[in-house]
Structure formats: C-alpha cells, structure tokens
Amino acid sequence: MQIEDVKLAVIGLGYVGLPLAVEFGKHRPVVGFDINDERVAELRRGSDRTLEVDDAELAQATGLSVTSDTSALASANVFIVTVPTPIDAYKQPDLTPLIRASETLGKVLKRGDIVIYESTVYPGATEEVCVPVLASVSGLRFNEEFFVGYSPERINPGDKKHRLTTIKKVTSGSTPEVADLVDTLYGQIITAGTHKAPSIRVAEAAKVIENTQRDVNIALINELALIFNRLGIDTQAVLEAAETKWNFLSFRPGLVGGHCIGVDPYYLTHKAQAIGYHPEIILAGRRLNDSMGAYVASQLVKAMTQRCIQVQGARILVMGLTFKENCPDLRNTRVVDIIQELGEYSVRVDVYDPWVDPESAKNEYGIELVTDLSEGDYDGIVLAVGHRQFAEMGLDAIRALGRPQHVLYDLKYLFDANDVDLRL
C-alpha cells in the first residue's frame, strides 16, 4: 500500500480518538467510528463534551464523517484503534474494549489492510491478543494478508499547550514496509516529528514506562510529604529550595488518578508477573499513591479534632472532582478516595466542581454534586483540584464558605502556606 492509497478510519472518538480524527480530517477523508450513538449525535451537532476539541476546530475537519454504523468501516483500509484500556476491580488489565474493537474490525478486514493500535497495553499485547482476534474473525493471515502497527497515544487532557500535533509520535509496524507507511502517515499531521521504533513491542514498552516513571517519581514526593508533615516542615518550601539545583526533577505531591498514570503501571506489572518477575518499586509506588486519599481524609479529621470541631455529623466541602485541573475528565479520579474515607467518619460531604456534568458524576460514582455554595456552612473545606475558578474565587471567598471555626486543606498549593490550615 502506498500513502496515497490510504483510506482512514478511527475507532473510538473519546479523549484520544477525536483529536486524532479531527486532525486527519483537516487533510483527508476520515471515518470516525464510535459505538455510543449519543456521542456520535453530539459530534454531528459540532460539539465535544470533553473540551479537547473546540467547535471551530471541529468544523475545520471537513473530511471527517462520524458514525456508529459498522458498515461504514468497509470502505477503509487503514484503521486506527483508540479505545480505552482500563483496569478491573482487582487492578488487572481489562482488554475487553480492545478485543471487541478487534472483533468489529475483523468483520470488515480485507486483504492488504492495516490496523494501528494506540491504546496503552503491556509489551506484546498487540501481537499476542489483538492479532489472533483479527485473524480468527477475518480468516486472513497475519503479515501476509493483513498487517498491524502500534503508535501509542500521548494525549494530555486539558493541556492546551501540548497538543496532538506538537508532541513527538512514536510509531511502529509489523513489517519494515508497514512501519514506514505508519510513520509517514502520522508524519503528515505531527509537526513535532515522529520516532520509528524498531518493533511493536518496543513501542508498547516505551508507552507504558512513560507513565510508570511519573507514577514512581510522584510516589517518592508523596512519601517525602508524609515525612515532612511529621517533621513540621512545609513540603512546598522544601521542593522550591531543592529545585534550585539544575538536575532536580520537579514533581508535586498529591492524588494520582486519571486514565494514564494511575492505570498504566498495572499493565507493566501484570506482564512482569506473568513472566515470573515481581516488580518491587513499581508496586510500592502504586500502593503509596493509592493510599493518599485516605491520608488526606485522616489529616483533615485530626485537624478538626484538634480544634474541637465535632467530627460526627460535620459538613465537609470537597472542591473539585476531576482527576486534574481545568478539564471535565472523571476517569479514575482519586478524589473519590477522600470522599469515601470521610464517609467512614459519619460526616456529610458536599462535592462542588464547575467542570463536571452532574449527571456524569452521578452515573460514574453515585455522587450528587452541589451547584450552589452557601457561606458559613462547612466545618472543613478540601481544595482537591486546582481549577482556575477556585484560584479566581480567592482565599477570602473560600474561607467564607466555612463556619467561624473550620479547617481549610489546600491539596493543590493554590494559596500561601500561612493562609491555609493544611497542605501536603
């Protein structure tokens, strides 16, 4: 296949797939496929609820047509799969969306077609899990009648500086010729350039260690914060001092959620354990980061007790529910850990987040968001997410939400240490 022969389809139009389909749609015809009829209808109306693509940019993708009809995929010969790869309740990889997408493509796969996967997986998953499904359903022979590629996504939700086109793209293919084609295809839209990995397994491994490295680094800073809190030292002040050294890596303590950093390490540890190796550092980092929500809740309760604030029956306001600031993404948010832990103390928790659709919060986590804040109502306030609206409210307005005697816990360092009661 030559690059001019490519007829493209993108499978999955979420945080990863939509920006990709839109960017390609500015340059060539693209079929954007999603199984969610409501999502397709929304995009056809020219709006993206994830806010990753604004209405004007969506309108510029004149080559993009979106559909939930699998028959529309038959016209394509290159398919890019961008479905989620979550973990289950036991923190094991859940490849169900990936397998189902592969089954769907297997039904329309033709001789010479290429399937490119972007979903985060463990090294080997593309060829060990996806390829057998494609081959079984299609009846075609791998690397003779159909081919695959892997180009890991690097989308950072809510980041308006580091966008799809400005982040270097890792590419790979199941044969040298396919690797060249995949690299050339992405090179048409990625202004930052591409890096062609020597194999699919290398590209898979590169992706999964990117977020594993961040997870371990944040775990270290979280542990340091626990130590400094016991020593009565402000963690932020320590980090600012340490950052004066040129090679000190800048990280901040906090909750580690989202669909990447809080999930991807479990894909790597799953594969490591499957081959008989028990990863010590990675799992230790995961355990520590997963414990931070409970730690925050316990610190808040301790501070309230020290101020003689009745804990049982108290009212707590948690400001922010998304996994990060200035985006509506609720996937794997660890703010829920704080909420659930506070519930164990028989307190009433109100959650406020101007970025979140109330229906989504209820469907995902059973949380009823409050939409109006009343002054003087709360015994404790937790600034859990650093949304710009909270910074713009200012310290006085946030303090006014609390009763005369209350505790303000600033997880995101929005305000000066001397003006809040608790920080990590």
Side-chain angles (χ1 to χ4, degrees):
M1 185 188 303
Q2 302 300 312
I3 192 67
E4 57 269 19
D5 300 322
V6 170
K7 297 176 182 178
L8 191 61
V10 176
I11 316 302
L13 298 176
Y15 282 88
V16 174
L18 182 63
L20 189 69
V22 165
E23 201 57 44
F24 273 120
K26 296 175 183 178
H27 306 280
R28 61 166 64 238
V30 180
V31 175
F33 175 83
D34 200 286
I35 60 173
N36 188 329
D37 291 328
E38 184 180 344
R39 174 66 167 163
V40 169
E42 165 196 315
L43 294 175
R44 284 178 174 172
R45 292 192 297 268
S47 179
D48 170 30
R49 75 180 67 176
T50 71
L51 306 181
E52 288 303 298
V53 177
D54 61 36
D55 295 356
E57 192 173 17
L58 194 55
Q60 292 172 9
T62 55
L64 175 62
S65 61
V66 296
T67 183
S68 57
D69 182 2
T70 55
S71 65
L73 298 173
S75 62
N77 55 17
V78 175
F79 308 88
I80 302 179
V81 179
T82 62
V83 298
T85 44
I87 54 175
D88 62 20
Y90 304 99
K91 301 189 186 312
Q92 294 298 307
D94 180 4
L95 297 177
T96 303
L98 204 59
I99 292 170
R100 287 178 177 169
S102 299
E103 289 171 343
T104 297
L105 292 180
K107 296 173 184 177
V108 300
L109 212 58
K110 306 174 297 299
R111 181 185 290 268
D113 286 358
I114 301 171
V115 181
I116 305 167
Y117 292 91
E118 288 212 2
S119 308
T120 302
V121 291
Y122 52 78
T126 299
E127 291 158 300
E128 296 167 7
V129 177
C130 300
V131 165
V133 173
L134 292 172
S136 174
V137 177
S138 70
L140 300 175
R141 294 187 298 275
F142 175 50
N143 273 348
E144 294 180 29
E145 297 175 303
F146 78 92
F147 307 87
V148 298
Y150 184 78
S151 181
E153 60 89 3
R154 283 176 165 172
I155 295 293
N156 188 26
D159 190 337
K160 301 306 179 184
K161 178 181 178 182
H162 302 100
R163 306 299 303 277
L164 169 68
T165 59
T166 62
I167 302 172
K168 197 159 191 173
K169 200 84 163 73
V170 174
T171 67
S172 64
S174 57
T175 69
E177 295 77 19
V178 169
D180 288 342
L181 180 68
V182 171
D183 194 68
T184 300
L185 178 63
Y186 280 106
Q188 293 182 332
I189 64 167
I190 306 297
T191 58
T194 60
H195 174 89
K196 186 167 59 175
S199 70
I200 287 174
R201 287 164 61 88
V202 167
E204 291 168 328
K207 167 57 181 176
V208 80
I209 71 164
E210 290 173 13
N211 288 318
T212 299
Q213 182 188 63
R214 284 185 56 80
D215 192 43
V216 170
N217 276 313
I218 296 171
L220 171 62
I221 301 301
N222 274 336
E223 187 162 61
L224 293 175
L226 303 185
I227 295 170
F228 295 144
N229 282 347
R230 292 196 173 199
L231 292 172
I233 301 173
D234 183 62
T235 303
Q236 175 77 352
V238 174
L239 294 175
E240 288 175 353
E243 285 166 0
T244 60
K245 190 168 188 283
W246 77 92
N247 60 352
F248 183 83
L249 300 179
S250 181
F251 290 92
R252 287 294 180 272
L255 307 176
V256 184
H259 188 62
C260 293
I261 300 179
V263 172
D264 294 359
Y266 288 118
Y267 274 76
L268 184 57
T269 58
H270 167 81
K271 186 64 175 180
Q273 290 168 330
I275 59 173
Y277 180 79
H278 182 75
E280 302 284 354
I281 294 176
I282 299 171
L283 287 175
R286 280 280 73 235
R287 286 192 297 272
L288 196 147
N289 284 340
D290 279 346
S291 72
M292 292 305 293
Y295 174 78
V296 168
S298 67
Q299 289 294 101
L300 176 65
V301 168
K302 183 185 296 184
M304 290 171 62
T305 302
Q306 290 171 345
R307 296 191 176 197
C308 299
I309 299 173
Q310 175 69 38
V311 174
Q312 188 172 24
R315 294 191 65 190
I316 307 296
L317 175 64
V318 174
M319 300 183 70
L321 180 61
T322 60
F323 91 89
K324 65 181 294 189
E325 66 278 0
N326 305 324
C327 80
D329 196 346
L330 287 174
R331 293 175 299 174
N332 194 38
T333 174
R334 300 297 10 123
V335 178
V336 297
D337 296 343
I338 300 175
I339 298 167
Q340 291 168 356
E341 186 70 16
L342 287 173
E344 296 294 319
Y345 291 94
S346 299
V347 303
R348 172 181 166 182
V349 181
D350 287 347
V351 184
Y352 173 74
D353 194 319
W355 283 86
V356 174
D357 171 44
E359 187 175 342
S360 297
K362 186 174 182 180
N363 291 340
E364 290 289 328
Y365 299 106
I367 293 174
E368 298 269 5
L369 294 181
V370 297
T371 54
D372 296 312
L373 297 177
S374 301
E375 293 188 358
D377 273 359
Y378 296 102
D379 301 289
I381 302 170
V382 180
L383 284 166
V385 185
H387 292 318
R388 63 171 180 265
Q389 288 93 333
F390 300 158
E392 291 167 356
M393 283 178 67
L395 179 69
D396 291 342
I398 292 174
R399 280 286 195 190
L401 299 173
R403 293 182 172 136
Q405 183 79 316
H406 69 272
V407 175
L408 175 59
Y409 200 147
D410 183 4
L411 284 183
K412 302 304 293 185
Y413 299 91
L414 290 181
F415 303 109
D416 188 89
N418 296 321
D419 295 325
V420 300
D421 302 307
L422 289 172
R423 298 206 305 185
L424 273 179

